[in-house]
Amino acid sequence: MPSERQITIFDTTLRDGEQSPGASMNIAEKMEVAQALVDLGVDIIEAGFPIASPGDFEAVRTISQNIRGAVICGLARSSDADIDRAWEALQYAERARIHVFLATSAIHREFKLKMDKDEIIRRAVNSVRRAVGYCPDVEFSPEDASRTEVDFLCRVVEAAIDAGATTVNIPDTVGYGTPAHIGNVIRTLRERVPNIDRAVISIHCHNDLGLAVANSLAAVENGAGQIECTINGIGERAGNCALEEVVMALRTRHDHYGCTTRIVTPRLVPTSRLVANITGIQVQRNKAIVGRNAFAHEAGIHQDGMLKERRTYEIMKPEDVGLAKTDLVLGKHSGRAALSDRAVALGYHLSAEQLQTVFDEFKRLADKKKEVYDADIAALIEQEIREAPETWVIAGYRLIAEMGQVPTVTLSLKRGDEEATEQVTLGDGPFDALFHAVERITGVEVVCRDFNVHSVTVGKDALAEVTVEVAHEGQIYRGRGVSTDSVQASVQAFLSAINHVAAHLERSVKPPAPQVGSKA
Ligand SMILES: [Zn+2]
C-alpha cells in the first residue's frame, strides 16, 4: 500500500441519518446541511432515496440543482423504476452518483427477496448497467454484506465491477461486524476479486455494537478507500459511523494509518451543532470530538499538567475541531455585518431576507439580554430557517395558573390572515392546558412523548430552548421553540411540531414505493 492515501468521505447524514426516528428534515433544512457538508469538505453527499417519497425526490433534486462542490448521490434499489427515478432527481448535479443496492446475504435472499444466487448476480449486473447508462459514477452495495458468504460476496463484487460499478460498498447493515472480521472481508476482496483495482472499496458501518468507527478504520487499514458516515453518527437504531470521529482518528493517528481526507476539521463542531439543532437530536456530553465535555479537563491533576504543557493530557487541539476558545459576544450595538459574520462562522448561509429577519430578532433579544452568545444566535437562526411557510404562529396568550387549581388559557394563533382564539380550562398544568388549546385551534391531535426545557447559554436572562417530540399516526415529529419567555418557547415548540404534522398531512400523497424498509 502506498504510504499516503486520500480517503474519500461519503456523507449519508441526509439519507441514512435522516432515517433515524424523528430526524426527518424539510427541504430548507436539508439544503442547509448540504451546504454545511460542502464547507466541511466531504467528497460525496448522499442526498436521499428519490423513489422513497415525493419529499425525498424533491430534496435530491433541489440539492442537485443548487449545491456545488461535492458529488451528489441518490440511492436506488436494484430496479429500473428506482434507478430511473434517482437519475431524474440527480441529472442536474455538477457531478452525480447513482448508488444501487441489493441484499446478498442468505437470510435476505431467502426471506426478503426470494431469489437464488444467480438471480441476485443477474439483477445486480442489470441494475449497474442501467445506472451506468445514465452516469459514469456508479456505486453498488451488496446489502448485509458482512453476513454474506464471502465466496458469494466476491462473485457479486466482481460482477458489479465488470458491469461498470466504480465504487463497491460493503455495508455492515445490521452492525454485526467486528474490526477483525470487517478487516478480513476487505482484505479477502482485495486478494480474491480479480478486477478489484478498477473500483474503490467503500465501507458502511452501523453502530449496534458500538464498533462502527473501529470497523471503518479496520476497513481502511485493509485497503478501503471510502468511508460512509454521518454527522454525529446519527442513523437508524444505534446510528452510523460518526464522521467526526473517524476523520479525527485518521488525522490524529496519521502515524499509523498514513491516510488523509479533504475534511476541513475546524468545521466539525459547527457542522455537528447545525445537525443537532436541525434534527433535535442532541449530542451526549461525553461524545468523542464534538461532545460538550470532549475537551473539558476537570480533574485538578490534569489541569495542573495542562497548564504546564497541553500535550500531557490532550491528543487533539480544541481549535482543530472548531471548538472556539472564546464565544464572541455580541450586544445591542452590534451591527448587521457582525451578525452576518457570526452566522457564517457558525455554518449558516442566510439569504438577505433571512438575515434581516434574524437581525430584527437579534435586536429584540439584545434589548432583553445584555450579552448575546453564539448559541443564542444559532437558536435564532434555527428558528428562522425551520419555519415552513403557511403555518400557525402565536398571536398571543393569557395564562391563569395557581397551585392546586385547573389552569385557564386563552390562546390566539394566526395562519396567514386567519386568526383563531380558544379558551380552555383544563389540563394537569399550564403547559398541558396550552397544548390542548393548540390542538383545538389547529385540529391536529398528537401524543406528547417528550418535553424538554433547557437554557441555551448562561445567566437568568438566558434564552430558553424547548424541544418537544410528538407522535401522530405512528410518526414522530419534533418541534423547537426559543424565547427568553419559557412559556412562549414551549408553545412555539409544540406548535412547530404540530406544523410539521400539518405539513405532512398536506403532502400526504401516498409514496409509490411500498417496502422501502431496510436499506443498506
Ligand atoms: Zn446504513
Side-chain angles (χ1 to χ4, degrees), residues 80-400:
D80 291 356
D82 273 49
I83 294 162
D84 296 352
R85 189 77 171 147
W87 180 248
E88 219 184 302
L90 288 168
Q91 57 181 313
Y92 311 96
E94 184 181 29
R95 285 170 290 152
R97 170 179 295 189
I98 300 177
H99 179 191
V100 181
F101 76 98
L102 180 62
T104 50
S105 63
I107 191 164
H108 280 246
R109 292 196 308 263
E110 190 181 331
F111 295 103
K112 189 174 98 174
L113 299 172
K114 303 193 193 320
M115 282 186 212
D116 67 20
K117 288 181 177 173
D118 291 335
E119 269 178 282
I120 296 276
I121 301 250
R122 243 189 331 268
R123 184 86 167 258
V125 165
N126 287 341
S127 302
V128 170
R129 285 203 184 122
R130 192 172 186 94
V132 170
Y134 287 125
C135 83
D137 188 346
V138 172
E139 173 167 327
F140 177 75
S141 285
E143 189 190 0
D144 205 14
S146 56
R147 290 194 300 172
T148 300
E149 309 90 311
V150 78
D151 291 340
F152 182 55
L153 186 65
C154 288
R155 263 183 76 198
V156 177
V157 165
E158 182 181 353
I161 296 173
D162 249 348
T166 45
T167 299
V168 283
N169 177 47
I170 304 305
D172 183 21
T173 307
V174 292
Y176 177 72
T178 59
H181 166 198
I182 296 290
N184 204 21
V185 171
I186 303 297
R187 190 169 54 249
T188 306
L189 290 173
R190 289 184 61 232
E191 285 168 0
R192 303 231 307 248
V193 176
N195 56 4
I196 198 73
D197 53 338
R198 280 161 45 197
V200 173
I201 303 177
S202 166
I203 184 72
H204 177 111
C205 293
H206 278 270
N207 207 31
D208 298 70
L209 294 173
L211 293 172
V213 171
N215 289 343
S216 304
L217 291 170
V220 166
E221 271 183 305
N222 285 281
Q226 172 178 292
I227 300 172
E228 302 200 354
C229 44
T230 61
I231 300 297
N232 298 339
I234 63 169
E236 272 183 307
R237 307 185 309 274
N240 289 56
C241 172
L243 183 149
E244 60 281 3
E245 294 178 16
V246 82
V247 163
M248 287 312 288
L250 288 175
R251 188 174 190 269
T252 306
R253 297 307 310 275
H254 183 267
D255 62 315
H256 177 74
Y257 294 103
C259 295
T260 56
T261 68
R262 282 183 55 246
I263 297 300
V264 183
T265 60
R267 299 300 313 162
L268 288 171
V269 166
T271 312
S272 161
R273 286 189 182 153
L274 179 78
V275 170
N277 284 334
I278 284 182
T279 58
I281 301 176
Q282 295 300 326
V283 165
Q284 88 219 32
R285 274 175 189 249
N286 62 328
K287 164 90 167 59
I289 317 297
V290 294
R292 214 156 132 182
N293 289 359
F295 290 88
H297 299 272
E298 292 291 333
I301 189 163
H302 288 198
Q303 283 180 348
D304 179 54
M306 285 286 291
L307 289 172
K308 289 176 178 142
E309 170 58 55
R310 282 171 61 162
R311 281 173 303 167
T312 50
Y313 287 102
E314 212 164 71
I315 59 166
M316 296 169 274
K317 289 192 242 135
E319 52 270 33
D320 288 348
V321 302
L323 205 62
K325 254 193 253 143
T326 46
D327 251 0
L328 204 102
V329 180
L330 298 184
K332 66 199 282 184
H333 301 296
S334 305
R336 197 179 337 208
L339 179 70
S340 170
D341 274 357
R342 287 320 291 159
V344 172
L346 293 169
Y348 297 95
H349 294 76
L350 301 177
S351 66
E353 202 180 310
Q354 285 172 324
L355 179 65
Q356 187 56 51
T357 316
V358 174
F359 185 64
D360 294 343
E361 285 294 321
F362 161 74
K363 281 290 176 188
R364 259 193 287 279
L365 178 65
D367 272 339
K368 290 189 207 161
K369 192 172 181 296
K370 274 194 273 344
E371 292 168 323
V372 180
Y373 300 98
D374 283 354
D376 295 320
I377 293 167
L380 292 179
I381 296 173
E382 292 299 332
Q383 187 83 347
E384 167 61 18
I385 63 176
R386 283 186 75 91
E387 280 312 322
E390 277 307 301
T391 50
W392 293 100
V393 294
I394 308 171
Y397 71 84
R398 190 178 134 86
L399 178 63
I400 304 163

